[in-house]
């Protein structure tokens, strides 16, 4: 397929957040010494008085955001997905989720596509952890267009959100804009033989896989399931009923991610055969983003393989 | 040791330091990513630690129970650790250029499961000193006289866990634990003075029951003297900290343009060529 390469979703996030600053004078942003990586520095440069860099101290960062939100501010905070989710989980639980505060948590450098920095910097469990926080909405946009729309959409709600962003530039999946609604899957391609449900950078891979599969006579439906929680059960039910087979693809550990959540929905509503593309219970390693996606099976080819297993071709 | 042999030894160390600095530059430039300036600022200290007789280790038997431990808590300075380990004979120096490549055990941050000799998997800042406390407790339980050295960044000490470890080390009177803070004055987003100013650091450690030394750390002689004092504290019942004031990117920061932090950026091929020429001859 002929993709137009777009920005990284972290860049789109940083730009969208900076742009929101004018509409929402009560937005405040907390950083943990990584604003030049997460791109919240764009907001910080525009609104220095509303930007707080607390240093390398993620649990404090989360608590400070909780305090700001408790006092009525619209608090945003951002760090690498691995550090904010794993280093500050109890603070996310006790100081944000439990009191149900208006804090938008943005985890950047998610997945293995960060590449060379290696496993210590790769958030591969963040979606699972975020889904385990009651009151949290969990969103994994696929490209710059949907990230921008997601930032604007979550700014309107006053409850906790986890938004996942990636490091590398990714193809534009929505060249003509995207009608983004929290909790509503976006159908990207129609098909009656099988459905591929994906999010993040696996959406582009799913579309590419669908193209290959079409050449084999397999008509593949592709859904961008950007919102993992609350899940669009209706779209899952429709896919299960109408295509009878589902493959889920995500740049995340298989345990507890989108695949687990969709599988529960399928099991509850309309069981059909399923396959899963994701990271299989392992840490990754250093390497190029492409090399790692290949090695750990997060490619269009991997999706094609799983679909072929299901349709018997 | 006579004064003249001590001097000869420092000359040998200086040659090792030169090799290590060059290894940091060539490996990160070959990788196209990494943290050369964070690695360079602590090169004198790490060279002194490994090669002036302070760290007992055996590359042929990396998990020798009586060994001393070195934990790189500021894991992004992995290129420094790898260059030192190559010089120490853990693996051939030619492997340095596999840094960060798929299949290489020389990952972007240290991974103890992949490279024997690495004491701790680090890269999420703030965790190394707690591991050091654990090691120090274990060797005491085993009645070994091993020392445990932990190298931290001056931005890293903003993590609360570091201070939790500081408190437990004092509680357990870990006089075999030596923390070194590489005080290069910068962290990722800017000067530590602006991001989170924790200076003066020494009184903070002292308040928790540690003994501190403050040194100018880009000097082999100063590092040797400070390490000497720290290991002689055995029996005092007090953990030791060396606040090592350094320059991030020493001694090449003047060749890197006008960003004194130059955090997490490898040198371009042209920069590297110039810098390697400079390192070949500098007496700094
Ligand atoms: C828990 C955690 N938060 C954030 C980061 C990202 N990060 C990597 S290096 C760095 C700055 C470190 O500064 P300092 O400790 O002073 O080390 P220096 O590079 O100056 O030696 C940051 C914030 C990280 N690796 N771990
Ligand atoms: Mg520093």
């Amino acid at each position: 397929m002929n993709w137009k390469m777009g920005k990284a979703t972290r860049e789109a996030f940083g730009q969208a957040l900076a742009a929101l600053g004018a509409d929402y004078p009560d937005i405040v942003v907390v950083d943990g010494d990584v604003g030049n990586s997460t791109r919240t520095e764009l907001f910080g440069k525009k609104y220095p008085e509303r930007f707080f860099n607390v240093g390398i101290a993620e649990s404090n960062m989360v608590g400070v955001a909780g305090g700001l939100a408790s006092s009525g501010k619209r608090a945003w905070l951002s760090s690498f997905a691995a550090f904010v989710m794993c280093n500050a989980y109890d603070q996310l639980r006790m100081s944000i989720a439990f009191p149900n505060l208006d804090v938008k948590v943005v985890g950047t450098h998610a997945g293995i596509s960060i590449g060379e920095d290696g496993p210590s910097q790769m958030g591969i469990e963040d979606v699972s952890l975020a889904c385990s926080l009651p009151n949290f909405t969990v969103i994994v946009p696929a490209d710059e267009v949907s990230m921008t729309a997601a930032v604007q959409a979550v700014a309107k709600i006053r409850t906790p959100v986890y938004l996942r962003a990636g490091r590398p530039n990714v193809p534009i999946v929505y060249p003509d804009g995207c009608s983004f609604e929290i909790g509503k899957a976006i159908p990207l391609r129609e098909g009656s033989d099988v459905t591929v449900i994906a999010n993040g950078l696996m959406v582009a891979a799913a579309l590419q896989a669908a193209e290959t599969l079409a050449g084999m006579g397999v008509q593949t439906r592709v859904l961008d399931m950007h919102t993992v929680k609350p899940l669009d059960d209706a779209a899952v039910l429709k896919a299960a009923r109408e295509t009878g087979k589902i493959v889920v693809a995500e740049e995340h550990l298989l345990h507890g991610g989108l695949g687990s959540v969709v599988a529960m929905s399928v099991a509850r509503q309309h069981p059909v055969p399923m396959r899963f593309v994701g990271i299989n219970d392992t840490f990754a390693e250093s390497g190029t983003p492409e090399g790692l996606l290949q090695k750990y099976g997060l490619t269009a080819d991997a999706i094609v393989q799983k679909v072929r297993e299901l349709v018997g071709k | 040791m006579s004064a003249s042999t001590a001097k000869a030894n420092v000359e040998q160390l200086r040659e090792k330091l030169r090799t290590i600095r060059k290894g940091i530059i060539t490996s990160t430039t070959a990788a196209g990513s990494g943290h050369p300036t964070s690695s360079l600022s602590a090169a004198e200290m790490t060279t002194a630690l490994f090669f002036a007789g302070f760290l007992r280790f055996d590359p042929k038997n990396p998990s020798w129970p009586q060994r001393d431990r070195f934990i790189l808590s500021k894991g992004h300075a992995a290129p420094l650790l790898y260059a030192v380990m190559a010089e120490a004979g853990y693996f051939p120096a030619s492997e340095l250029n596999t840094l960060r490549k798929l299949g290489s055990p020389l990952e972007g941050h240290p991974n103890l499961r992949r490279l024997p000799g690495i004491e701790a998997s680090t890269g999420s800042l703030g965790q190394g000193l707690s591991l050091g406390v654990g090691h120090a407790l274990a060797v005491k339980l085993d009645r070994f006289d091993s020392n445990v050295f932990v190298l931290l960044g001056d931005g890293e000490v903003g993590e609360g866990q570091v201070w939790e470890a500081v408190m437990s080390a004092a509680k357990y009177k870990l006089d075999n634990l030596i923390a070194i803070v590489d005080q290069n004055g910068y962290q990722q987003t800017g000067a530590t003075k602006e991001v989170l100013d924790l200076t003066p650091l020494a009184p903070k450690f002292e308040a928790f029951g540690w003994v501190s030394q403050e040194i100018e750390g880009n000097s082999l002689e100063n590092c040797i003297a400070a390490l000497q004092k720290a290991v002689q504290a055995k029996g005092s019942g007090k953990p030791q900290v060396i606040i090592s004031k350094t320059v991030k990117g020493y001694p090449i920061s003047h060749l890197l343009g006008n960003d004194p932090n130059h955090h997490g950026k490898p040198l371009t091929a042209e920069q590297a060529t110039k810098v390697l020429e400079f390192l070949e001859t500098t007496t700094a």
Side-chain angles (χ1 to χ4, degrees):
Chain A
M1 287 176 103
N2 256 342
W3 299 111
K4 186 172 169 288
M5 209 48 181
K7 292 181 240 193
T9 48
R10 64 178 164 128
E11 185 66 38
F13 151 64
Q15 292 178 0
L17 180 60
L20 282 184
D23 298 338
Y24 295 94
D26 49 354
I27 285 185
V28 292
V29 178
V30 192
D31 175 28
D33 194 33
V34 285
N36 48 354
S37 294
T38 65
R39 312 306 296 133
T40 55
E41 73 169 11
L42 297 173
F43 183 97
K45 281 183 178 151
K46 246 172 118 178
Y47 305 103
E49 74 290 356
R50 289 195 262 153
F51 183 77
F52 306 95
N53 181 356
V54 299
I56 309 173
E58 290 75 13
S59 35
N60 183 45
M61 167 177 71
V62 170
V64 168
L68 285 160
S70 301
S71 265
K73 302 297 175 196
R74 294 171 189 266
W76 289 66
L77 66 88
S78 183
S79 181
F80 285 33
F83 305 143
V84 66
M85 271 294 147
C86 303
N87 201 329
Y89 197 66
D90 193 14
Q91 286 73 19
L92 289 168
R93 175 178 175 268
M94 256 337 272
S95 302
I96 311 293
F98 188 28
N100 197 12
L101 292 172
D102 181 5
V103 176
K104 308 298 177 331
V105 178
V106 184
T108 66
H109 297 66
I112 63 175
S113 58
I114 67 161
E116 288 81 358
D117 271 344
S120 66
Q121 320 288 303
M122 294 169 173
I124 56 173
E125 58 288 273
D126 54 315
V127 172
S128 169
L129 290 170
C131 285
S132 299
L133 293 168
N135 296 325
F136 260 78
T137 296
V138 180
I139 301 177
V140 184
D143 72 350
E144 62 174 70
V145 180
S146 50
M147 174 56 94
T148 304
V151 169
Q152 291 162 353
V154 301
K156 297 197 181 92
I157 61 173
R158 304 297 311 256
T159 49
V161 172
Y162 178 64
L163 196 56
R164 189 187 212 218
R167 176 178 186 271
N169 292 342
V170 285
I172 297 181
V173 173
Y174 297 100
D176 308 317
C178 119
S179 58
F180 184 94
E181 211 183 309
I182 297 168
K184 278 265 174 302
I186 305 177
L188 277 164
R189 183 180 173 117
E190 274 315 316
S192 51
D193 296 331
V194 61
T195 302
V196 178
I197 297 178
N199 64 20
L201 58 67
M202 294 310 287
V203 173
L207 287 169
Q208 206 184 325
E211 198 70 21
T212 308
L213 288 160
M216 301 173 182
V218 179
Q219 301 314 320
T220 306
R221 178 178 303 184
V222 177
L223 291 181
D224 174 359
M225 195 64 81
H226 49 72
T227 307
V228 186
K229 196 174 84 165
L231 188 72
D232 187 347
D233 283 315
V236 172
L237 176 61
K238 195 160 178 284
R241 278 211 182 113
E242 294 175 7
T243 70
K245 300 166 200 72
I246 294 176
V247 172
V248 186
E250 62 193 310
E251 190 193 10
H252 187 273
L253 285 172
L254 288 170
H255 294 97
L258 180 66
S260 302
V261 174
V262 172
M264 192 159 65
S265 174
V266 169
R268 195 174 59 233
Q269 303 188 93
H270 187 86
V272 297
M274 295 183 71
R275 291 291 183 276
F276 304 92
V277 173
I279 304 162
N280 193 5
D281 200 25
T282 183
F283 289 100
E285 61 201 283
S286 290
T288 59
E290 303 71 36
L292 290 172
L293 292 169
Q294 194 74 40
K295 175 161 180 183
Y296 290 87
L298 303 181
T299 59
D301 278 352
I303 296 173
V304 169
Q305 284 310 319
K306 295 292 180 194
V307 168
R308 291 180 67 182
E309 276 177 41
L310 278 184
V311 301
K313 286 207 180 178
Chain B
M1 201 192 303
S2 75
S4 69
T5 50
K7 194 151 186 222
N9 286 346
V10 171
E11 281 321 305
Q12 280 174 5
L13 278 186
R14 216 175 292 291
E15 281 317 300
K16 287 193 184 295
L17 176 61
R18 198 185 301 284
T19 309
I20 288 160
R21 286 170 173 169
K22 290 195 298 191
I24 290 167
I25 300 302
T26 50
S27 64
T28 48
T29 294
S33 62
H35 299 76
T37 57
S38 308
S39 298
L40 285 170
S41 61
E44 292 80 3
M45 180 61 80
T46 315
T47 301
L49 187 54
F50 272 74
F51 303 111
F54 293 106
L55 198 78
R56 286 161 299 179
F57 61 93
D58 180 2
K60 293 198 189 64
N61 187 9
S63 45
W64 170 43
Q66 281 97 327
R67 74 193 183 281
D68 294 324
R69 278 77 163 154
F70 173 66
I71 293 172
L72 182 67
S73 191
K74 49 172 247 180
H76 58 287
L80 165 63
L81 178 60
Y82 300 148
V84 167
M85 288 176 75
E87 185 64 21
Y90 282 93
F91 53 83
S94 57
E95 277 190 37
L96 287 175
N97 284 348
T98 68
L99 176 68
R100 294 176 159 242
K101 301 214 163 83
L102 197 58
S104 170
L106 277 59
E107 293 195 353
H109 296 75
N111 179 345
L112 80 85
R113 287 278 161 225
R114 294 192 65 192
L115 194 58
I118 288 180
E119 297 285 358
S121 296
T122 52
S124 182
L125 292 166
Q127 304 191 18
L129 194 57
S130 297
L131 292 166
V133 168
H135 275 284
L137 287 169
V139 296
K140 286 210 175 214
L141 277 176
D142 290 338
R143 304 198 184 285
F144 299 151
D145 71 342
S146 314
N147 287 316
V148 180
F149 299 88
V150 182
L151 180 64
L152 303 110
D154 57 346
E156 179 182 12
V157 295
E159 286 284 2
Q161 186 184 348
V162 172
W163 300 98
E164 296 176 21
V166 164
M167 292 184 277
S168 14
K171 172 180 176 186
Y172 292 107
K173 306 189 176 6
L174 298 178
D175 51 13
N176 58 346
L177 180 66
I178 296 142
I180 301 155
V181 181
D182 181 27
Q183 194 176 49
N184 59 26
Y186 285 90
Q187 51 196 103
Q188 180 171 319
T189 56
T192 52
K193 281 246 179 278
E194 273 136 47
V195 179
L196 185 63
D197 188 5
L198 292 174
T199 57
L201 267 175
K204 296 187 175 63
F205 278 88
E206 296 266 350
F208 284 117
W210 286 53
V211 172
S212 70
Q213 301 180 61
E214 288 181 277
I215 64 162
E216 295 289 330
N218 290 128
S219 144
L220 284 169
E221 289 85 349
N222 292 354
C223 292
I224 291 169
L227 289 167
Q228 190 66 46
K229 211 168 144 194
V231 298
Q232 278 166 355
K234 273 278 185 52
S236 68
K238 294 200 172 216
Q240 306 288 312
V241 62
I242 301 170
I243 313 295
S244 179
K245 196 163 172 293
T246 59
V247 171
K248 199 158 174 173
Y250 188 83
I252 59 149
S253 41
H254 63 290
L255 297 172
L256 300 180
N258 46 19
D259 169 16
N261 193 5
H262 205 89
H263 182 85
K265 284 180 236 152
L267 279 57
T268 62
E270 301 93 277
Q271 274 176 325
T273 309
K274 258 193 15 210
V275 159
L276 289 170
E277 270 170 34
F278 172 80
L279 287 176
E280 197 59 63
T281 52
T282 183
T283 53

